[in-house]
Amino acid sequence: MYNVTKKEQLNPDICLVEFEAPDIAKAARAGQFIILRIDEKGERFPLTIYDYDVKKGTVCVVCQAVGVSTKKLCALNKNDFILDVAGPLGHAVSTEKIGNIICIGGGVGTAEAYPITKAYKESGNEVKVIIGARNKSLLICEKELKSLGVELYVATDDGSYGRKGFVTDVLKELLSKQKYDLIYAIGPIVMMKAVSQAAKPYNIKTLVSLNSIMIDGTGMCGGCRIKYNNESKFTCVDGPEFDASLIDFDELIKRQGRFSDKEKLALHEYECRLGFKH
Amino acid sequence: MEHKKKLMKEQLPKERIKNFNEVPFGLTEAQAVAEASRCLNCRNPFCVKGCPAEIDIPAFVQAIKNKKFKDAIEIIRKTNNLPAVCGRVCPQEDQCEKFCILGKKGAPIAIGYLERFVADWEMAQANSLKPSTANPKPITAAHHKVAVIGAGPAGLTCAADLANMGYDVTIFEALHSPGGVLMYGIPEFRLPKKIVEKEVGNITGLGAGLKLNYIIGRTKTIGDLKKEGFKAFFIATGAGLPNFLGIPGEELNGVYSANEFLTRINLMKAYKFPEYDTPVNIGEKIAVIGAGNVAMDSARCALRMGAKKVYIIYRRSREEMPARAEEIERAEEEGVIFNLLTNPVRITGDEKGNIKEMTCLKNKLGEPDEGGRRRPIPIPDSEFSIPIDTVICAVGNDPNPLLVSTVKEIITGKRGNIVADEEGRTSVEGIFAGGDIVTGAATVIAAMGAGKKAARAVDKYLKGL
């Protein structure tokens, strides 16, 4: 049992949950993830580690309530318990000095871009950050990212904040002006695919962090496999960070949707149980 | 086989494919006593030689004959802490029962059924009778701390024996519940999870600590544990990464590894979806690739989940099928279709990523390979397609590199298996290993045997410190 020590609503759908997990906090590095199971009947699902505090012994995740499991997590409050947390899993981001880096976060991925940006910054890199959301009210983590002392660009689909358009519009502009050594993108699969395509003409190494469907997170089930350079790779043990140019994104999009009918059914049941629907 | 079949009643095939309840019902007291009475109580019993758990088989069988069931279970428990599990899933026909002298002329004693009988008898008495081993053993053996990594059959057996010797044992398990393959792999209808929980509970009752959700190699490394005072390590992390077929189309949505398929159903209880949150998609026509016990389990789960047609696709012939005869027979009775001497060459899907069909080649058998089994050879121009919507790959596993990669000095084999001697000693002092991580996918009982041997080796090592 893992005690929730903080809960914060970042926008109507996205919340931050901090909980006690001292051993995980001690071992955690930016870019890694954990597997959670909220209650006895719950699924096991992965979430990127947003932050961790070795002294307090806490780990923090940011979660968008979309399906049953994420809704269950977002329904927890301070002093509630998460039944199971395992991790940290996956490879951490590099801590080498690379040079000029652009970090991109879209939607809930904006939160996940925070630890990556922080790690790159701490390794002495020059980091620019582009974040995006559908509109101003959905934008998250702007303040936190700014506090890292990076140049921050914001794009909203409707232009209600920052510039109107997608993160890739900003990216293309930046790329046309200066040379960069690395692009790191985390967010919806379509966004990561678009980033990869935008970066291609410039021949800049582009990394993305994937959030595939998983059960154990340790390589046992193979459910998170992707087609990578025409081979099968497991997101949990080989990733979650991959070279975007080698990922078959179309395949990945199909695989991510493979339980969507069942997920809808489960969500309906869940909401019925809560009395939202009949 | 026929004798055993007559002996134990089971759910009828047409009924049982509609539920996940256990298939065989177990022996009645009268049946058990009668069966035990057939034992010749040989002066030089061969059956014992076939038991990796080193159970004093003649003694417990005689106790059953004399209706001393409590004595019988205590005899078993001296060397085996998972009797209700072993009585159900051990391939006794290749072990103790194979050596039974009665088998030379007729049916060997149904030792497995008798083991199950007394283990179940004990559980039924649980309220009135405390199991003799449930009292924590005082930690005596110089208070040495031992870490057992993985709470599957090998790890649990090793931990139980070490706790019995008085060591301060902690078991580290990556998943949220202990049991390993007994929980995530073997289905409810073959091994009820309540039974696993009970037997695992007996082991932790011996005083072994259990840390769940704990991934050694990630949450902590062996190096970290050494700093915390752990003096010896037993690595029993199991089978690991599933193999796929290496053919076009295996990334399609309906392609599962048997590990994923069975874990969803057994550990995560997808057969109770949506009461439980984890889903599994089952089409109407399922192809299970492989013919081991895991393949039979997958095929039989698929039937119970509502599949209309379930095929076993296997590249060799019936004779080479590695599954237990009992499981093959049950699968057949339940309506699983066996497509033998058949090799899948590609899976084709639609634009949404769903499977449409699987194309296969027919094989013939050639000369025996290095393992002694006849090698399958594809027959040219024999290609044919089967309409399929789900494929389950039950073609084995490769060892999980997660822990091994963090212990640099440890020597591994060609495929990444840890190299260990008969007693479980690895190339690194104080680190022992056993079970599937050493041998590749094998049986529950082989893993338990490895756990037992390693416990003795750990003891010897720690006494020499």
Side-chain angles (χ1 to χ4, degrees):
Chain A
M1 300 273 262
Y2 300 77
N3 186 22
V4 175
T5 47
K6 189 164 104 184
K7 153 81 178 286
E8 211 177 288
Q9 207 67 41
L10 303 185
N11 80 19
D13 285 334
I14 299 177
C15 69
L16 178 150
V17 181
E18 182 198 74
F19 50 88
E20 280 169 0
D23 291 337
I24 299 176
K26 221 182 260 175
R29 298 288 174 271
Q32 291 187 299
F33 65 92
I34 49 171
I35 293 268
L36 303 93
R37 191 172 73 125
I38 307 301
D39 57 36
E40 202 52 53
K41 292 181 178 175
E43 279 179 289
R44 293 172 64 95
F45 65 103
L47 281 180
T48 304
I49 296 171
Y50 172 71
D51 208 354
Y52 50 89
D53 187 326
V54 181
K55 248 195 210 154
K56 274 164 59 191
T58 54
V59 173
C60 203
V61 290
V62 170
C63 171
Q64 181 166 22
V66 275
V68 174
S69 301
T70 47
K71 277 185 193 263
K72 277 182 175 177
L73 179 62
C74 288
L76 296 182
N77 287 306
K78 194 180 167 177
N79 293 330
D80 284 342
F81 286 95
I82 302 170
L83 185 59
D84 296 298
V85 182
L89 292 158
H91 295 286
V93 292
S94 153
T95 50
E96 278 167 40
K97 187 169 173 182
I98 298 159
N100 278 315
I101 301 177
I102 302 177
C103 276
I104 305 170
V108 69
T110 306
E112 293 155 359
Y114 168 78
I116 310 285
T117 305
K118 195 173 158 193
Y120 280 145
K121 193 80 185 143
E122 282 167 1
S123 326
N125 295 290
E126 206 49 58
V127 190
K128 286 179 186 155
V129 179
I130 313 169
I131 59 174
R134 287 208 308 280
N135 60 53
K136 188 186 175 187
S137 70
L138 297 176
L139 192 76
I140 57 168
C141 296
E142 186 193 3
K143 203 176 75 206
E144 289 77 5
L145 281 159
K146 255 192 189 152
S147 73
L148 297 173
V150 295
E151 235 175 80
L152 185 77
Y153 301 84
V154 179
T156 51
D157 296 7
D158 66 353
S160 53
Y161 190 63
R163 68 165 285 172
K164 184 174 174 359
F166 299 121
V167 287
T168 40
D169 297 328
V170 183
L171 174 68
K172 283 175 196 161
E173 266 181 39
L174 291 180
L175 292 178
S176 67
K177 284 185 209 149
Q178 193 197 319
K179 213 182 150 292
Y180 291 91
D181 303 297
L182 178 72
I183 299 169
Y184 196 111
I186 182 161
I189 302 173
V190 283
M191 182 205 91
M192 295 191 282
K193 184 185 172 188
V195 167
S196 176
Q197 281 167 346
K200 213 172 187 181
Y202 298 92
N203 212 7
I204 300 169
K205 187 174 183 184
T206 304
L207 297 175
V208 294
S209 177
L210 302 182
N211 188 18
S212 311
I213 297 172
M214 288 178 196
I215 306 178
D216 59 295
T218 62
M220 197 190 81
C221 80
C224 65
R225 69 189 183 279
I226 59 162
K227 213 182 192 176
Y228 185 75
N229 205 9
N230 270 320
E231 266 181 68
S232 265
K233 289 278 175 199
F234 292 180
T235 303
C236 64
V237 288
D238 299 316
E241 178 186 297
F242 289 100
D243 184 333
S245 66
L246 301 175
I247 297 173
D248 186 334
F249 280 106
D250 296 330
E251 202 69 71
L252 182 63
I253 290 169
K254 287 179 201 163
R255 278 192 71 74
Q256 247 353 52
R258 69 197 157 112
F259 295 111
S260 56
D261 290 349
K262 288 269 161 65
E263 283 160 3
K264 268 178 221 152
L265 177 66
L267 187 58
H268 180 76
E269 288 279 323
Y270 172 70
E271 286 175 339
C272 284
R273 254 179 273 151
L274 290 179
F276 292 161
K277 279 181 191 162
H278 296 284
Chain B
M1 193 71 206
E2 260 174 44
H3 168 73
K4 284 181 91 168
K5 199 133 187 102
K6 247 189 258 164
L7 202 58
M8 202 186 301
K9 285 221 167 74
E10 56 184 39
Q11 280 198 74
L12 293 174
K14 67 174 197 288
E15 286 304 316
R16 71 189 188 223
I17 59 165
K18 292 181 212 147
N19 65 58
F20 272 78
N21 301 337
E22 191 170 13
V23 170
F25 294 123
L27 299 180
T28 63
E29 201 177 298
Q31 280 177 318
V33 173
E35 181 65 9
S37 303
R38 295 204 303 124
C39 176
L40 301 176
N41 199 9
C42 308
R43 188 171 302 171
N44 180 17
F46 292 115
C47 53
V48 182
K49 291 180 185 140
C51 179
E54 304 161 11
I55 296 173
D56 187 350
I57 295 165
F60 99 77
V61 173
Q62 288 307 304
I64 293 178
K65 178 183 159 189
N66 298 324
K67 296 192 185 175
K68 298 202 161 140
F69 304 134
K70 188 167 180 289
D71 293 355
I73 190 67
E74 277 172 6
I75 291 163
I76 296 174
R77 282 202 179 281
K78 271 187 203 156
T79 58
N80 180 358
N81 287 289
L82 300 167
V85 170
C86 286
R88 287 170 165 84
V89 303
C90 271
Q92 293 103 6
E93 62 280 5
D94 290 324
Q95 296 174 333
C96 51
E97 293 174 13
K98 186 179 169 182
F99 294 98
C100 173
I101 206 85
L102 286 176
K104 287 218 189 299
K105 279 192 177 153
I109 298 287
I111 300 166
Y113 287 2
L114 292 176
E115 183 181 23
R116 173 183 160 167
F117 167 76
V118 276
D120 289 359
W121 175 87
E122 185 195 35
M123 275 189 210
Q125 311 284 309
N127 293 332
S128 55
L129 190 88
K130 265 215 151 139
S132 53
T133 48
N135 309 312
K137 288 272 146 99
I139 294 165
T140 50
H143 303 291
H144 277 313
K145 276 167 85 175
V146 185
V148 170
I149 304 162
L156 288 169
T157 303
C158 185
D161 283 10
L162 287 167
N164 262 329
M165 293 174 198
Y167 287 102
D168 183 1
V169 184
T170 307
I171 312 171
F172 296 92
E173 167 57 41
L175 290 173
H176 59 259
S177 72
V181 72
L182 309 174
M183 285 306 276
Y184 75 75
I186 304 177
E188 178 77 17
F189 55 82
R190 208 148 75 76
L191 181 64
K193 300 306 146 218
K194 260 198 197 138
I195 284 171
V196 180
E197 280 160 17
K198 183 84 191 9
E199 298 221 307
V200 171
N202 287 344
I203 290 176
T204 45
L206 291 171
L210 176 63
K211 284 200 176 241
L212 299 173
N213 299 316
Y214 224 94
I215 305 147
I216 301 303
R218 286 279 186 266
T219 319
K220 266 181 194 162
T221 61
I222 285 190
D224 295 332
L225 295 178
K226 275 185 182 162
K227 280 181 208 148
E228 290 176 18
F230 284 92
K231 291 278 185 265
F233 301 84
F234 179 58
I235 304 176
T237 48
L241 276 57
N243 292 329
F244 286 90
L245 305 166
I247 60 171
E250 68 182 22
E251 62 291 327
L252 288 162
N253 287 349
V255 182
Y256 296 90
S257 72
N259 277 3
E260 179 183 2
F261 185 72
L262 291 173
T263 302
R264 283 181 179 275
I265 293 174
N266 301 321
L267 180 72
M268 306 310 295
K269 302 207 165 23
Y271 67 95
K272 291 183 180 170
F273 177 87
E275 184 198 341
Y276 282 74
D277 296 341
T278 304
V280 66
N281 288 330
I282 294 278
E284 295 194 333
K285 296 179 279 293
I286 321 292
V288 179
I289 320 298
N293 287 322
V294 174
M296 297 306 140
D297 285 347
S298 303
R300 297 173 69 199
C301 277
L303 276 177
R304 283 160 175 77
M305 295 294 293
K308 295 229 165 72
K309 265 194 176 147
V310 180
Y311 301 95
I312 287 274
I313 312 272
Y314 181 51
R315 59 200 181 121
R316 302 183 208 243
S317 73
R318 196 176 178 104
E319 227 169 275
E320 290 83 20
M321 285 170 49
R324 289 184 71 184
E326 195 174 297
E327 301 309 323
I328 296 170
E329 194 169 301
R330 288 199 176 120
E332 219 161 25
E333 285 170 1
E334 289 171 9
V336 173
I337 303 156
F338 288 76
N339 268 4
L340 306 177
L341 289 166
T342 303
N343 213 21
V345 287
R346 69 177 166 274
I347 309 164
T348 9
D350 62 17
E351 64 290 342
K352 283 184 182 156
N354 299 318
I355 302 172
K356 276 187 351 203
E357 61 177 28
M358 189 164 71
T359 306
C360 303
L361 274 176
K362 288 306 271 180
N363 288 340
K364 61 180 180 195
L365 287 181
E367 293 301 308
D369 60 16
E370 57 277 12
R373 291 190 300 176
R374 292 180 65 190
R375 197 188 301 273
I377 302 166
I379 303 170
D381 303 321
S382 64
E383 214 173 272
F384 68 103
S385 294
I386 327 170
I388 289 290
D389 44 34
T390 308
V391 173
I392 300 163
C393 305
V395 291
N397 302 281
D398 273 343
N400 195 325
L402 220 146
L403 168 62
V404 178
S405 64
T406 63
V407 192
K408 295 237 159 53
E409 322 81 69
I410 208 161
I411 293 176
T412 53
K414 229 191 273 165
R415 305 189 74 171
N417 289 87
I418 296 179
V419 176
D421 69 11
E422 263 297 291
E423 263 85 53
R425 285 180 210 92
T426 69
S427 57
V428 184
E429 207 189 298
I431 301 184
F432 301 77
D436 285 4
I437 185 71
V438 172
T439 57
T443 58
V444 168
I445 189 70
M448 290 176 62
K452 277 200 107 48
K453 284 184 184 157
R456 280 198 283 265
V458 168
D459 179 45
K460 211 160 129 193
Y461 167 74
L462 290 174
K463 279 187 176 140
L465 280 186

